[in-house]
Amino acid sequence: MTGTGGLVTYELRGDVALIGLNRPEKRNAISDGFVEAIHEAVTRAAGEARAGVIHGHGPHFCAGLDLSEHSEKPLFEAVKGSRRWHRVFDEIERGTIPFVAAISGAAVGGGFELAASAQIRVAEEGAFFALPEGQRGIFVGGGGSVRIARLIGPARMGDMMLTGRVLDAATMEGWGGVSYVVKAGQAVDKALELAAQMATNAEFTNYAIINALPRIADMSSEDGLFTESMVASLATMTPEAKDRLRAFLEKRAAKVEAPNG
Ligand code: 1HE
């Protein structure tokens, strides 16, 4: 299936939805129509998959905002456009299933903002990250000031925006912006592997991870701890938790293995 205007490809592989940004001739720059195509694909994934992967067709993940469309926008249209990005990216960050961003080439401006809305980022060694809004005379508008700032810290984000520096994947991994760095051509496979693993988790636990963690991070310690107790108790009440706990106690479930063990 392809989304609105063929801008997005969509494939269901078992329990995992594979969503491909499909405007390679414009480096997957995000136009207004593209935002709607992403929305359509993410909504479909939430309805029928247990995890999702977002990747870019062609050599680049995403070149960010479509600057040709944006340059002529009246003020209020720009505000509404930014708020639409927020809502659509929020469906990725705080929806019902987890997403992995598989990044090759550029994850620039709004492309990095899109990647930051996924729960996990996998980057190929040649991937690169930049926030060139300062040079373009604009500002992040796709949720980056919240999501990217929380991911790598506001000082590092400010550094990227002020200086226009371009970070390679290894540096971004050190900054906490990506969790996995893989060889060229392997990001989608690694992301699919991680998504398939997440898809085997209890659905309610995945939902709680996606929705409770970022909210608890916004709370005071006391409120966070109280909320944690409520969410933990709700999770324990689900039939899935009872089945899985019983399976472990009856030695039918996998143990936690030491790495390289
Ligand atoms: C675009 C865009 C775009 C490419 N909007 N058309 N984003 C940027 O400032 C990044 C701008 N793009 C680039 O720096 C480069 O294109 C890349 C490093 C991503 C890729 O370079 P390259 O050499 O592979 O491709 P290219 O030749 O630069 O671009 C190919 C075509 O894509 C070309 O169009 P053509 O008609 O001349 O073939 C480019 O104009 C077009 N293209 N990127 C429109 N972004 C919600 S607020 C978020 C704010 C931001 O995202 S600011 C950052 C914007």
Side-chain angles (χ1 to χ4, degrees):
M1 163 250 180
T2 50
T4 318
L7 290 168
V8 167
T9 60
Y10 181 98
E11 202 185 319
L12 188 63
R13 294 200 186 177
D15 284 333
V16 176
L18 179 62
I19 296 172
L21 310 176
N22 193 29
R23 202 188 176 204
E25 70 285 1
K26 293 290 179 189
R27 306 310 183 247
N28 296 325
I30 303 178
S31 58
D32 289 347
F34 207 153
V35 177
E36 298 314 317
I38 294 170
H39 164 67
E40 189 183 312
V42 167
T43 304
R44 181 167 172 190
E48 63 185 16
R50 291 182 70 142
V53 168
I54 302 173
H55 72 107
H57 289 284
H60 298 288
F61 177 72
C62 177
L65 178 69
D66 185 323
L67 296 171
S68 62
E69 202 178 75
H70 192 70
S71 61
E72 300 304 326
K73 267 199 180 149
L75 171 68
F76 193 35
E77 290 307 308
V79 172
K80 287 191 282 188
S82 167
R83 296 297 289 156
R84 183 66 184 147
W85 281 50
H86 290 166
R87 279 194 293 279
V88 173
F89 288 8
D90 192 62
E91 291 167 5
I92 299 168
E93 192 202 24
R94 300 184 188 194
T96 51
I97 62 168
F99 285 90
V100 186
I103 304 164
S104 55
V108 171
F112 190 16
E113 295 181 291
L114 171 59
S117 67
Q119 283 74 31
I120 294 178
R121 280 149 297 283
V122 176
E124 292 181 4
E125 281 170 354
F128 56 97
F129 301 81
L131 294 170
E133 283 81 356
Q135 291 99 300
R136 307 278 179 251
I138 56 177
F139 194 68
V140 285
S145 61
V146 174
R147 294 193 187 98
I148 297 175
R150 285 180 189 177
L151 202 55
I152 64 174
R156 284 168 166 165
M157 182 180 178
D159 178 346
M160 288 181 76
M161 291 188 72
L162 288 167
T163 64
R165 66 190 284 187
V166 181
L167 271 69
D168 62 19
T171 308
M172 186 51 83
E173 185 183 29
W175 281 17
V178 301
S179 310
Y180 301 84
V181 177
V182 296
K183 300 216 171 297
Q186 293 183 2
V188 171
D189 284 348
K190 182 66 183 175
L192 284 169
E193 176 195 320
L194 295 168
Q197 177 62 46
M198 297 192 296
T200 66
N201 292 342
E203 277 183 295
F204 185 85
T205 305
N206 277 349
Y207 180 79
I209 293 165
I210 295 166
N211 284 278
L213 286 185
R215 288 182 172 85
I216 289 173
D218 285 343
M219 295 177 187
S220 66
S221 298
E222 193 46 44
D223 290 346
L225 293 172
F226 179 78
T227 304
E228 178 188 274
S229 294
M230 294 297 117
V231 176
S233 304
L234 282 172
T236 310
M237 290 302 125
T238 60
E240 221 174 342
K242 295 198 183 309
D243 289 348
R244 286 168 180 246
L245 294 173
R246 199 176 309 114
F248 176 77
L249 295 172
E250 293 170 359
K251 305 206 181 300
R252 289 184 284 111
K255 289 186 204 179
V256 175
E257 301 283 352
N260 312 316

